[in-house]
Amino acid sequence: MTPLITSLLAKARSFFKDMADNVMIIYGEKGIEPFKKPLMIALPTLLVLYAGVYSPLGSKLSAAKTKLEVLTVVAQYASDYQDAKTRLSAYQRRLPLLKDKDEWLNYIITSTARSYGISFDGVSGQKESEIGNFLVVSREVTVTTTYAKLGKWLAEIENSPIFLRVIELDARRDANNPGTVKVTFRLATVFPRFQGGRG
């Protein structure tokens, strides 16, 4: 501490000590009577000052402490959140666009089957069901084809960059045609009901 600060602190200590001594002397001679009026003025003033200054500061301090705790937790899991957001974005890019929902699945089924020379015995109407923010769309397909063509076709469907899954499959050997199989399967995809999807 500098000599100036030390000197000021010593003077302040001396002042408050003298003041306390004077209060004690007055109280000893005259009792509480001389202090009643100053206390009547000072106590409400101190209460108003406390309510106006300290109390709001206390609530602000409490709010700041809570906010700091929240930010600490957020910072602790920020990298997990960023990783999850990146993964979600990658999944969304694998979903077809909602505006294409009426024809997209039918187009995929017919165009991929055509490339393997597979014709349909039947294709059902499109079924749709909502699950949260997603729309699950499926169609049932029946074909008669060779094992080799069927395997290649299903592999292409399931390895599509856009999300497609065979969710049911029933295969029976065609008794009239050796080497062929009659297959009924349900193909499904998911459309995001929110704005977004592939980007």
Side-chain angles (χ1 to χ4, degrees):
M1 264 191 253
T2 64
L4 178 64
I5 292 173
T6 307
S7 170
L8 286 172
L9 285 174
K11 284 180 184 175
R13 263 191 233 112
S14 174
F15 172 78
F16 284 113
K17 185 176 182 301
D18 288 345
M19 189 174 71
D21 289 343
N22 288 337
V23 166
M24 293 306 289
I25 290 169
I26 293 169
Y27 180 75
E29 289 177 8
K30 298 182 181 180
I32 193 74
E33 203 57 41
F35 300 105
K36 279 186 181 177
K37 191 173 181 181
L39 283 174
M40 296 285 280
I41 295 168
L43 281 176
T45 306
L46 288 174
L47 288 172
V48 168
L49 282 173
Y50 174 80
V53 175
Y54 181 77
S55 187
L57 284 178
S59 63
K60 284 180 183 175
L61 185 62
S62 176
K65 183 181 176 187
T66 303
K67 190 173 181 180
L68 181 63
E69 288 170 358
V70 167
L71 289 174
T72 303
V73 171
V74 167
Q76 188 177 7
Y77 295 104
S79 63
D80 291 345
Y81 169 76
Q82 197 59 44
D83 291 346
K85 191 175 172 186
T86 303
R87 283 196 309 273
L88 178 63
S89 179
Y91 289 138
Q92 286 177 351
R93 281 194 297 274
R94 293 196 62 210
L95 300 180
L97 299 174
L98 185 61
K99 67 182 180 74
D100 301 330
K101 80 173 177 70
D102 293 329
E103 294 302 321
W104 189 81
L105 193 55
N106 190 51
Y107 169 76
I108 291 296
I109 292 169
T110 54
S111 63
T112 54
R114 192 180 310 119
S115 67
Y116 292 102
I118 297 173
S119 56
F120 300 103
D121 297 338
V123 178
S124 75
Q126 185 164 287
K127 285 189 178 178
E128 299 177 3
S129 59
E130 293 180 9
I131 300 175
N133 287 326
F134 298 94
L135 185 66
V136 178
V137 174
S138 66
R139 281 186 185 266
E140 191 173 273
V141 179
T142 304
V143 297
T144 304
T145 186
T146 64
Y147 288 101
K149 286 181 181 179
L150 177 67
K152 288 177 185 174
W153 184 38
L154 292 179
E156 180 178 336
I157 287 171
E158 290 233 325
N159 290 318
S160 167
I162 305 304
F163 183 79
L164 280 168
R165 285 294 175 265
V166 175
I167 55 173
E168 295 172 8
L169 186 129
D170 179 42
R172 294 199 171 108
R173 192 176 305 151
D174 188 353
N176 300 328
N177 249 336
T180 60
V181 63
K182 188 174 186 78
V183 180
T184 301
F185 66 90
R186 182 168 292 281
L187 185 63
T189 190
V190 177
F191 292 89
R193 293 178 61 233
F194 48 83
Q195 194 64 29
R198 276 181 292 147

